[in-house]
Amino acid sequence: MNLIIGVVVIGIIIAGIAFFMASKSDSKNTTKEELQSTAKRESQSRTQEELQSTAKRESQSRIQGESQGTTQKESQNISIKEEASADMQAVKQKEQLYHYMTQELQNLVCVYNKEEWRQLKKLGEISQELYKEKNDIIEGLSTITGRMVKEYFTCVDFREEEGKLVGYVNDIEKLKQVFLQFMMPFYPYYYKELSEGGLRYTALLHPNTLRLFQQLTGKKFRPGYRNRYSTGVRAFEWDKDRYKVYGKDGRLLCDAVFDSDGIKEGYGQKKYLDKQHPDWDIVEEGTWKEGVFQSGILRYEYKKSVQ
């Protein structure tokens, strides 16, 4: 009896141990699965977070890049607009200088033709804006045209009067020399015939003056434009440095080569007394009083043959 009881007890113990081991195994399996499941969820969660974080960074980077790109583009656009504005301003200033010079030359021609040069004291007005920019404009011109304009401004003092800059002559003789550089070389010898014949001053502007105007405006100006008197007679013609000038009646006034001192060679007539040069014969056609030439024509005939 006791043996049976002992066997039963041992069986129960063995069964309990087996049950305990099975439970423990199940528990381990459950724990392992839970750990794996948790790890998987955490991995998925971490991966998702990383993806979200990466996407966020990329989005921020893209936005920042777009922002920088936009800023850079806006900056470039602003720079382009500023450059365009500066270019337009420079063009405007050049055109203002052109209008100023043409107006002044027209006034100076009028004074010279009326033989009132010695009475010239006051010139025209210039804007404050152009006055400040004129030196920069001159520096951008070619050597010859830049020198012409620069020499002109050295003869003028600008004074402010009632908010305007008014020009005053500081050297009348130098201004005359500078002014004549803007004109055809025969102009100072035949200005009276030319003006009385109704020739426009624009026809008498030197080719260098027209080049200056082209540099200031971008437009081309034809030398000798409207080169005819009111009678229809052609006033002058030229080939390089040799000029033929005619009166309004078609009479030949000169056929000569000019330099800075006037007629260098050829034939010319002048309406004022000049010292006789050993290479010239003077034919007196006019009125004299006590050995002084009063009016008419002194025809200078060059002795040397003209090639």
Side-chain angles (χ1 to χ4, degrees):
M1 183 69 177
N2 290 332
L3 181 60
I4 295 171
I5 293 170
V7 171
V8 170
V9 171
I10 292 170
I12 292 170
I13 292 170
I14 292 170
I17 292 170
F19 178 78
F20 174 76
M21 293 300 292
S23 297
K24 188 174 181 181
S25 177
D26 291 340
S27 176
K28 286 182 179 179
N29 291 335
T30 300
T31 302
K32 186 176 180 180
E33 289 175 357
E34 289 176 351
L35 289 173
Q36 290 176 343
S37 177
T38 301
K40 185 176 181 180
R41 287 197 301 274
E42 290 177 352
S43 176
Q44 290 175 342
S45 177
R46 187 166 56 252
T47 302
Q48 187 174 2
E49 289 178 356
E50 289 175 352
L51 289 173
Q52 290 176 346
S53 177
T54 301
K56 185 177 181 180
R57 286 196 303 272
E58 290 177 351
S59 176
Q60 290 176 342
S61 178
R62 184 170 59 255
I63 293 172
Q64 185 177 3
E66 291 175 353
S67 176
Q68 290 177 347
T70 302
T71 303
Q72 186 177 4
K73 187 174 181 181
E74 290 175 350
S75 177
Q76 290 175 345
N77 290 338
I78 292 172
S79 178
I80 291 172
K81 289 180 180 179
E82 289 177 348
E83 289 177 1
S85 177
D87 290 342
M88 290 179 63
Q89 185 67 13
V91 169
K92 181 180 177 182
Q93 294 302 331
K94 286 182 178 181
E95 289 180 347
Q96 285 188 7
L97 180 58
Y98 161 74
H99 290 299
Y100 171 80
M101 293 304 302
T102 53
Q103 184 63 46
E104 289 308 294
L105 287 175
Q106 185 174 4
N107 293 336
L108 292 175
V109 166
C110 183
V111 173
Y112 197 92
N113 290 347
K114 291 180 179 179
E115 300 181 347
E116 298 175 351
W117 192 264
R118 296 300 306 174
Q119 288 74 49
L120 181 63
K121 303 294 182 184
K122 190 175 181 180
L123 300 177
E125 302 170 359
I126 189 173
S127 68
Q128 295 274 3
E129 191 177 36
L130 179 57
Y131 181 76
K132 294 177 182 177
E133 300 295 332
K134 63 182 176 59
N135 290 336
D136 289 337
I137 297 174
I138 292 172
E139 290 300 321
L141 298 173
S142 65
T143 303
I144 295 176
T145 56
R147 187 189 68 242
M148 291 168 62
V149 181
K150 184 181 292 185
E151 288 180 349
Y152 167 83
F153 280 111
T154 61
C155 302
V156 187
D157 286 330
F158 289 98
R159 309 173 193 171
E160 188 166 352
E161 296 181 358
E162 300 179 356
K164 298 177 181 179
L165 286 175
V166 181
Y168 285 83
V169 181
N170 60 33
D171 190 333
I172 189 66
E173 286 304 316
K174 183 178 179 181
L175 180 62
K176 179 193 283 187
Q177 295 173 8
V178 172
F179 160 67
L180 292 177
Q181 291 182 29
F182 288 89
M183 309 303 292
M184 285 288 196
F186 56 79
Y187 170 73
Y189 304 97
Y190 304 108
Y191 64 90
K192 195 166 186 181
E193 290 92 340
L194 296 167
S195 62
E196 289 176 352
L199 192 70
R200 295 190 180 187
Y201 89 99
T202 51
L204 299 171
L205 295 176
H206 195 280
N208 285 336
T209 307
L210 302 181
R211 278 192 283 273
L212 166 65
F213 292 168
Q214 182 177 349
Q215 291 168 12
L216 294 176
T217 64
K219 302 176 183 178
K220 289 186 177 181
F221 295 83
R222 181 159 54 90
Y225 178 61
R226 294 188 177 179
N227 171 22
R228 290 186 181 277
Y229 292 112
S230 55
T231 58
V233 174
R234 181 183 291 275
F236 61 90
E237 55 190 37
W238 75 97
D239 180 16
K240 296 182 180 180
D241 294 330
R242 190 177 191 87
Y243 294 86
K244 290 183 180 180
V245 182
Y246 304 90
K248 61 182 179 180
D249 56 357
R251 177 171 51 94
L252 181 65
L253 299 177
C254 81
D255 180 5
V257 176
F258 287 79
D259 61 12
S260 58
D261 296 324
I263 294 177
K264 181 179 178 181
E265 62 179 44
Y267 163 83
Q269 294 180 352
K270 299 181 182 180
K271 280 196 172 182
Y272 58 90
L273 182 62
D274 198 358
K275 293 181 180 180
Q276 183 176 358
H277 190 281
D279 291 334
W280 291 82
D281 283 334
I282 302 177
V283 180
E284 300 171 358
E285 297 178 357
T287 304
W288 293 75
K289 183 177 181 181
E290 297 179 357
V292 178
F293 181 74
Q294 300 295 319
S295 62
I297 296 176
L298 290 178
R299 188 171 72 250
Y300 288 65
E301 295 180 347
Y302 199 63
K303 295 179 182 179
K304 295 181 180 180
S305 61
V306 178
Q307 300 296 327

